[in-house]
Amino acid sequence: MTIALTFPGQGSQALGMGKALAENFSVAKRVFDEVDDALGQHLSRVMWEGPLEDLSLTVNTQPALMAVSLAVVRVLESEADLDIARDVAFVAGHSLGEYSALASARSLGVADTARLLRIRGEAMQQAVPVGEGAMAALLGLDFDDAAAIAAEAAQKDVCAAANDNGPGQVVISGHVAAVNRAIELAQARGAKRAILLPVSAPFHCPLMQPAADRMREALANVEVREPLVPVFANVLAAPISSPADIRDSLVAQVTGTVRWRESVVAMAAEGVDAFFELGTGKVLTGLAKRISSGARAISVGGPDDVEGFLAALTASR
């Protein structure tokens, strides 16, 4: 069995996430404490007690999801004898999950990752005035068709393919008027559904350029090390390892397409036949099953999942 570790992105958050890990494993509690200290905020309290509106703020959601993912990594290293350099072929994360992937592979420190994601969340939220941008899911169209619709709908505005999540599941992003035009075009051209998404900003499109500029500056001021294993970059759908490439990829990711479907296909072509999603939710687990037929896909998010991971890891050795 050849393993890839995957890490979820925004939308997977839920109240109480990570609490059972902290209560059952001291190594997990230390991750949440480190993130709280790095941010100067009791983020873990927001994660466990709410309110949900506060957890759903982009500036909180991004470091919170990373914290849970890294807590899972530390628990698996402690309790299941996971050695990423020995046991894992690749790591990859969806959007902000790419930061979690890099931290899991020791390319970024946990505290630096938390601070970067706080900056990223603030920058992405502030890049476009509220009400000017939108995102929509186009379901039932392949990526090329969805991207063509976005380009046609743009006219003098911005509209672009933001996420290529899986077969027939593409998200577009841009100015409100352009996204609405794209929805109409998609419906006329056979999309099963075309719906606006409840998001606070138009992520992963050229409107995010101010946020990309801010992330370039932020990333220049943190240590980025070569990861223990290659990281599949969202914007390249290919593995990278050099610190310079990692910095460039994370900057490009802010405005670029999250090429998740292609990344899973490419990892499978490299021999990966087991995708373990570490953190909150099961979104990437479901996508892996759809994208890579026959691959094993398992989510690990709480204490009850550790034994199953250990059994799978033992069987792979």
Side-chain angles (χ1 to χ4, degrees):
M1 182 164 64
T2 302
I3 293 171
L5 302 181
T6 66
F7 297 87
Q10 198 158 328
S12 293
Q13 66 273 11
L15 276 183
M17 63 183 190
K19 185 176 183 181
L21 289 168
E23 291 173 343
N24 285 273
F25 304 103
S26 60
V27 290
K29 179 65 163 57
R30 285 198 291 271
V31 171
F32 295 119
D33 289 344
E34 185 175 358
V35 170
D36 285 354
D37 290 345
L39 298 178
Q41 173 196 11
H42 287 297
L43 180 62
S44 56
R45 185 181 300 166
V46 175
M47 294 162 59
W48 302 336
E49 300 176 10
L52 181 59
E53 291 77 11
D54 287 353
L55 177 60
S56 298
L57 294 172
T58 299
V59 293
N60 290 330
T61 303
Q62 296 200 20
L65 284 166
M66 181 278 298
V68 178
S69 288
L70 266 293
V72 172
V73 171
R74 297 293 185 264
V75 170
L76 296 180
E77 290 172 336
S78 173
E79 302 296 320
D81 191 32
L82 171 67
D83 183 322
I84 288 178
R86 177 191 66 202
D87 299 322
V88 175
F90 304 105
V91 295
H94 190 285
S95 191
L96 80 88
E98 190 166 332
Y99 285 79
S100 306
L102 288 161
S104 77
R106 305 316 200 267
S107 181
L108 293 170
V110 173
D112 280 340
T113 307
R115 287 187 286 262
L116 285 169
L117 286 173
R118 171 58 52 83
I119 293 169
R120 185 177 185 267
E122 291 174 346
M124 293 174 83
Q125 188 61 61
Q126 295 168 0
V128 180
V130 174
E132 290 190 10
M135 299 182 77
L138 307 185
L139 306 181
L141 298 175
D142 67 24
F143 177 77
D144 289 342
D145 288 340
I149 286 171
E152 182 177 342
Q155 297 180 18
K156 294 183 179 180
D157 294 324
V158 168
C159 190
N163 299 346
D164 182 9
N165 288 330
Q169 187 177 330
V170 181
V171 175
I172 60 171
S173 182
H175 286 110
V176 171
V179 170
N180 282 326
R181 287 193 293 268
I183 288 174
E184 293 180 3
L185 285 170
Q187 290 170 334
R189 295 179 187 178
K192 291 180 180 178
R193 294 183 71 193
I195 51 174
L196 284 171
L197 297 177
V199 296
S200 57
F203 305 127
H204 299 293
C205 79
L207 293 177
M208 288 287 112
Q209 188 58 50
D213 294 340
R214 191 169 172 194
M215 290 312 299
R216 185 180 299 281
E217 180 180 347
L219 284 158
N221 293 315
V222 300
E223 181 183 9
V224 180
R225 298 175 290 276
E226 184 172 336
L228 296 174
V229 296
V231 178
F232 256 79
N234 284 183
V235 293
L236 301 173
I240 57 176
S241 291
S242 83
D245 288 344
I246 288 168
R247 284 190 172 93
D248 289 345
S249 172
L250 291 176
V251 173
Q253 184 215 65
V254 179
T255 57
T257 303
V258 176
R259 297 168 62 184
W260 190 254
R261 175 186 57 83
E262 291 178 85
S263 294
V264 173
V265 169
M267 284 187 278
E270 292 284 349
V272 172
D273 54 6
F275 295 87
F276 291 94
E277 179 180 7
L278 307 189
T280 303
K282 301 181 179 181
V283 171
L284 301 184
T285 301
L287 289 175
K289 291 177 179 177
R290 291 179 56 203
I291 297 168
S292 183
S293 177
R296 185 172 191 177
I298 297 174
S299 60
V300 184
D304 294 343
D305 302 323
V306 174
E307 187 174 340
F309 179 89
L310 175 57
L313 188 62
T314 301
S316 73
R317 292 173 177 160

